[in-house]
Amino acid sequence: MILGIGSDLCDIRRIERSLERFGDRFTERVFTEGERTKSDRRATRAASYARRFAAKEACSKALGTGLRAGVFWRDMEVVNLPGGRPTLRLTGGAAERLKAMTPPGHEAFVHVSLTDDPPLAQAFVVIEARPVA
């Protein structure tokens, strides 16, 4: 069963300006260490950060909270599964919200789709609950 759906569209140029203007203050506030390491290695650094930013916004919408009610930026981390597919690792308030919205006897799965076509980056997040076998 679908528990939540979120989408977000992010202007890569806006993220690029934030990187230029605020540098580490911006990245350390919004992104985890793993996300910063991965994005800083990319030739298209701003686009990488923009995709992750969009994923966090989309996830907060799928959780039904937005970035409030104890859900913070770094509670949502874009990570890749062994095959390379992106997903989100939730901690803190985001993990608590996910647990609260998951029905008893079910396990939550977070599906993520990321793309960019400069100057835009886009993310879709679907939170699914499956019965525990």
Side-chain angles (χ1 to χ4, degrees):
M1 93 181 65
I2 303 300
L3 300 178
I5 300 173
S7 68
D8 192 66
L9 192 61
C10 180
D11 189 326
I12 297 168
R13 297 168 297 191
R14 186 175 126 225
I15 299 300
E16 195 166 41
R17 286 191 301 271
S18 293
L19 290 168
E20 290 169 1
R21 183 170 179 197
F22 302 109
D24 290 345
R25 201 168 87 208
F26 168 65
T27 58
E28 289 175 7
R29 178 174 177 253
V30 176
F31 302 98
T32 66
E33 183 178 338
E35 290 172 316
R36 291 190 308 268
T37 298
K38 190 159 194 148
S39 292
D40 287 342
R41 288 191 313 223
R42 301 269 194 239
T44 56
R45 180 175 181 243
S48 179
Y49 275 118
R51 287 189 301 273
R52 285 162 174 73
F53 188 91
K56 292 167 183 275
E57 286 277 5
C59 182
S60 72
K61 293 171 186 175
L63 290 169
T65 59
L67 289 158
R68 62 186 196 311
V71 175
F72 300 101
W73 289 109
R74 288 181 291 161
D75 289 347
M76 300 165 283
E77 179 181 20
V78 176
V79 296
N80 295 91
L81 297 173
R85 183 172 51 133
T87 190
L88 282 151
R89 177 183 303 135
L90 304 184
T91 59
E96 290 174 19
R97 172 65 184 145
L98 181 63
K99 183 179 178 182
M101 66 191 288
T102 304
H106 287 74
E107 183 178 5
F109 292 86
V110 180
H111 305 280
V112 179
S113 179
L114 303 173
T115 191
D116 67 76
D117 187 6
L120 300 174
Q122 186 174 37
F124 289 98
V125 173
V126 175
I127 301 174
E128 172 192 16
R130 296 181 197 157
V132 175

